[in-house]
Structure formats: C-alpha cells, structure tokens
Amino acid sequence: MNINMIRAAAKRIDEIAQRTPLLNSSFLDAIAGRRVWVKPECLQHTGSFKFRGAYSALSALDDATRARGVIAFSSGNHAQGVALAAKMHGTSAVIIMPSDAPALKIANTIAYGAEVVLYDRATESRDEIGARLSDERGLTLIKPYDEPQVIAGQGTCGLEIAEDANALGIKNADVIVCCGGGGLTSGIALALEADAPTLRARPAEPMGFDDVARSLRAGKIERNPSLSGNICDAIITPQAGDLTWPHMQRLCGPGLVVSEDEVLDAMAQAFLRLKLVAEPGGAAALAAALYRTDEIEGDDVIVTISGGNVDPAMFTRALARL
C-alpha cells in the first residue's frame, strides 16, 4: 500500500464516486468547544464510504477475472458497495451476510442485484461457505478492509479531506475516523501523510469493541472478545487487518472510545444540525468529537460520518433522545 495506489484509485473512481464536502454547524461547534468539520460519507453511493473501496477493487481487476464474478463477506455496507460496483461493471456478486444483519442492508444489497447468502454467526463459518462458492464458481474475493485496492479506494476520502482542509485554512487538526478493521482509517492516514502531514488520523470505536485503541496502546494487535452486542454493527470486527495495522500503528494518534448513548446523541445531532442520517457505526467519530472533547486538542477537528444505512427503528430511537 502506498500513496501512488491511492492516487491511481482516485483517477479510476473520478466522476463515479460522490465527492463529499466538509460541513460545519455552529451548534456542533458549541457542543465540542471547537470547530467541527464533518465529512458526510453517508451521502456516498450506497450510503457509505465502502463504495469507494469496492469500486476501486473491481475496477483494478482484469477483464477476464472480473467477468467470472466476485464474492464478499459483509454485515451490510461493504455488501452494498460491492453489489453496486459489480452491477456498474456488468458482472455478478455473491455476498455472504450474517442473518442478524440490519434488514435494510440485506434488502438494499439484493436490490443492487447481488445474490445474498445468509449464515448463522454462531453455528456456521462464513469462510467455509465462501471457499465452497468461490471454488464452485471461480469467484474473486473482495475483502472488506484487508485488501490493497480496497484500502486505496478508501484513501481517496483522505485526499479530499486534505484538499478541502487546505482550502479552508485548517492547518492542524485531528481527523477522527469511524474504525472497524481499519481500511478507511489507514487509507485516510496514508493520504494525509502525503498531502496534509499536519493533520492526524485517529480511530473512533464503540466501548467493548475498541481493539484498535487497545492495539495502539499495546503496540501490537489486540482482538475483540466478542463480535456482537453493540449497536455499532458496521464497525465491529475481530481485530485490525494485517495490512491496515502497520499503517495505523505508524501514523495514527490515540484511539477514541464512545458509548452507545453518545453515538445515539451524535446521530440525533447530525440530523438536527446538518440534516444528515447517520447509522450508529457511522456516527462514532462525531460522538468522539462532541463528547470526548478533553481528549482532543486544537481549534478544529474533522470527522467522518462513514455511513447512513440505519433501520427506521434505530433512527427513531436516536431522535427520541432530542
């Protein structure tokens, strides 16, 4: 992984992916005690940043490989990104999803044209299912984060942040990133290193599933003890990726950890002040900026809202806190 791969991915997805802006609200600034700049990837195709990496990965395949179809594992956002990217490239996609994934994400993945195979997290192995289908059909696996071309696609988000921060005169700031396996975090960190070295990426995670924050403190990869039990399903992974971890260890500041209540409050504030719909995992970085203010320095902070694919019941739960 290097900046040249990110720049190449940016050329491939140019005029395909949405170029999302940096948004600001004086109301959010007042809560945080500093200027808060929001990168709304919830407005990206498929409602999440995952489209960037998926399109980057598929567009990098040779024609013959791509024509045989692709396969992916995902609880929802990567699934939708791969499904739409495959549709745009005129090929097929099989997505292996846990049966307890949010209903909206399953429905959307099917609507984008993918074949969805559901499995039980407790009793079935997605790896075994994926290996069997790949062998039977000759499919190419598109990993959700530990894949160079996926990381390159996510890094295009960082290129945009660097360019817009420069235009706004933001010289020093933490860039807080909703973090699961680290594809978006490491991609943004690499882009900032090249184009905005005074900006620093920092991962944001939910309490009890803060493996990256713990890994950064320990200097080695730490695992999460559980893979369920938090509303931030989109950013719960076993541990940081083998490819993403070295970049995060080298480039990221300390991790930030937020509670479910803080995430729900951040979702409500994003809607109230910016008219944005954020899913729980997608609001973790904003929650950190608003409610972990003593762990952040400087006059500015930049955050990603990484996804907006939230079921109505969960969104209603967040809005009720207003």
Side-chain angles (χ1 to χ4, degrees), residues 34 174 200 202 255-257 291-297:
R34 55 176 54 87
D174 283 341
R200 177 179 67 163
R202 297 182 66 182
L256 294 154
V257 184
Y291 309 120
R292 290 286 181 267
T293 57
D294 59 340
E295 299 178 46
I296 302 167
E297 298 180 353

Side-chain angles (χ1 to χ4, degrees), residues 68-73 94 96 127-142:
R68 289 194 294 270
V70 296
I71 189 169
F73 309 129
V94 176
I96 301 173
D127 294 324
E128 291 178 2
I129 296 170
R132 174 175 56 80
L133 291 174
S134 296
D135 290 343
E136 290 174 356
R137 306 187 193 182
L139 305 174
T140 297
L141 175 63
I142 306 295

Side-chain angles (χ1 to χ4, degrees), residues 21 63 101 116 119 126 152 172 203 294:
D63 292 344
V116 171
Y119 74 99
R126 70 178 191 180
N172 295 280
D294 59 340

Side-chain angles (χ1 to χ4, degrees), residues 12 54-71 82 85-86 89 91-92 138-142 147 149:
R12 293 198 306 276
Y55 194 93
S56 169
L58 266 84
S59 64
L61 296 174
D62 64 77
D63 292 344
T65 300
R66 188 167 52 237
R68 289 194 294 270
V70 296
I71 189 169
V82 171
H89 282 94
T91 192
S92 61
L139 305 174
T140 297
L141 175 63
I142 306 295
E147 156 58 44
Q149 292 297 353

Side-chain angles (χ1 to χ4, degrees), residues 72-273:
F73 309 129
S74 174
S75 64
N77 285 336
H78 181 59
Q80 294 170 86
V82 171
L84 180 57
K87 182 178 181 179
M88 287 179 163
H89 282 94
T91 192
S92 61
V94 176
I95 313 294
I96 301 173
M97 302 182 72
S99 56
D100 61 350
L104 177 66
K105 294 180 179 181
I106 295 174
N108 285 352
T109 303
I110 294 171
Y112 287 127
E115 176 188 345
V116 171
V117 176
L118 299 177
Y119 74 99
D120 187 319
R121 294 182 200 248
T123 62
E124 296 180 287
S125 167
R126 70 178 191 180
D127 294 324
E128 291 178 2
I129 296 170
R132 174 175 56 80
L133 291 174
S134 296
D135 290 343
E136 290 174 356
R137 306 187 193 182
L139 305 174
T140 297
L141 175 63
I142 306 295
K143 296 180 181 179
Y145 52 85
D146 224 19
E147 156 58 44
Q149 292 297 353
V150 169
I151 299 170
Q154 319 307 24
T156 64
C157 187
L159 296 180
E160 294 175 11
I161 290 172
E163 183 178 349
D164 289 347
N166 181 64
L168 290 164
I170 303 170
K171 301 301 183 184
N172 295 280
D174 283 341
V175 178
I176 306 177
V177 186
C178 305
C179 186
L184 181 62
T185 308
S186 61
I188 287 177
L190 283 163
L192 296 180
E193 178 188 33
D195 286 8
T198 59
L199 304 184
R200 177 179 67 163
R202 297 182 66 182
E205 299 169 288
M207 287 181 179
F209 302 87
D210 57 340
D211 57 295
V212 174
R214 289 185 286 107
S215 297
L216 289 170
R217 290 196 300 269
K220 60 184 179 69
I221 292 179
E222 300 276 353
R223 288 183 61 87
N224 281 322
S226 175
L227 291 180
S228 62
N230 192 282
I231 61 174
C232 297
D233 64 282
I235 57 172
I236 293 176
T237 55
Q239 63 184 51
D242 292 335
L243 298 182
T244 62
W245 164 244
H247 302 301
M248 292 191 290
Q249 183 181 31
R250 183 172 67 86
L251 297 171
C252 286
L256 294 154
V257 184
V258 293
S259 70
E260 288 191 346
D261 283 345
E262 289 165 339
V263 164
L264 290 167
D265 285 342
M267 291 169 63
Q269 291 297 331
F271 175 76
L272 184 66
R273 303 308 183 187

Side-chain angles (χ1 to χ4, degrees), residues 21-40 42 176 262-278 282-283 285-293 296 298-305 322:
L22 287 183
L23 303 177
N24 173 256
S25 162
S26 60
F27 294 100
L28 298 183
D29 295 349
I31 296 173
R34 55 176 54 87
R35 289 183 295 271
V36 179
W37 302 93
V38 176
K39 179 75 167 170
C42 50
I176 306 177
E262 289 165 339
V263 164
L264 290 167
D265 285 342
M267 291 169 63
Q269 291 297 331
F271 175 76
L272 184 66
R273 303 308 183 187
L274 295 173
K275 316 311 173 192
L276 296 174
V277 175
L286 180 59
L290 296 181
Y291 309 120
R292 290 286 181 267
T293 57
I296 302 167
D299 295 330
D300 296 275
V301 63
I302 301 170
V303 305
T304 62
I305 290 185
L322 293 173

